[in-house]
């Protein structure tokens, strides 16, 4: 198993990024969560097989149709506490 925290920046709010990511994660059998951040980025925790985690991380560089991903920061992270993939409430600044 592999787990990563992703910080995705660019035009990623208001383009369906979180719903798209949840659909991709569910297709790949990934556990974790995704949420919008107050600074305009999207944060995610993804956990699953190494191949599935890498595939989702690569897909996140493209994102959904109207997204414009400028950068992704990745770091190794502990796995989520619960199974499944959730869209969490946005963080407010």
């Amino acid at each position: 198993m592999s787990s990563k925290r992703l910080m995705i920046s660019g035009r990623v709010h208001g383009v369906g990024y979180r719903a798209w990511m949840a659909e991709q994660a569910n297709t790949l059998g990934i556990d974790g969560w995704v949420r919008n951040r107050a600074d305009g980025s999207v944060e995610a925790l993804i956990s699953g097989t190494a191949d599935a985690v890498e595939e989702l991380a690569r897909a996140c560089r493209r994102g959904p149709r109207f997204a414009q991903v400028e950068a992704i920061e990745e770091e190794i992270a502990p796995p989520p506490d619960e199974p499944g993939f959730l869209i969490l409430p946005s963080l407010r600044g």
Side-chain angles (χ1 to χ4, degrees):
M1 293 296 275
S2 175
S3 298
K4 288 186 177 183
R5 180 175 167 264
L6 306 178
M7 296 293 290
I8 305 152
S9 60
R11 185 171 167 228
V12 292
H13 283 199
V15 294
Y17 200 99
R18 292 174 300 156
W20 170 86
M21 188 172 183
E23 182 179 325
Q24 299 297 309
N26 287 322
T27 298
L28 293 168
I30 297 280
D31 294 326
W33 49 260
V34 62
R35 65 182 169 198
N36 283 342
R37 296 181 50 86
D39 65 2
S41 66
V42 168
E43 178 182 16
L45 174 64
I46 60 175
S47 183
T49 66
D51 288 344
V53 167
E54 288 306 314
E55 185 173 340
L56 181 55
R58 278 193 306 274
C60 285
R61 295 187 187 290
R62 292 184 312 275
R65 182 176 180 186
F66 296 109
Q68 294 177 340
V69 177
E70 294 175 4
I72 296 184
E73 296 175 30
E74 295 183 23
E75 61 184 41
I76 295 171
D81 294 330
E82 298 183 22
F85 196 87
L86 304 172
I87 297 174
L88 298 181
S90 300
L91 289 179
R92 302 285 177 212

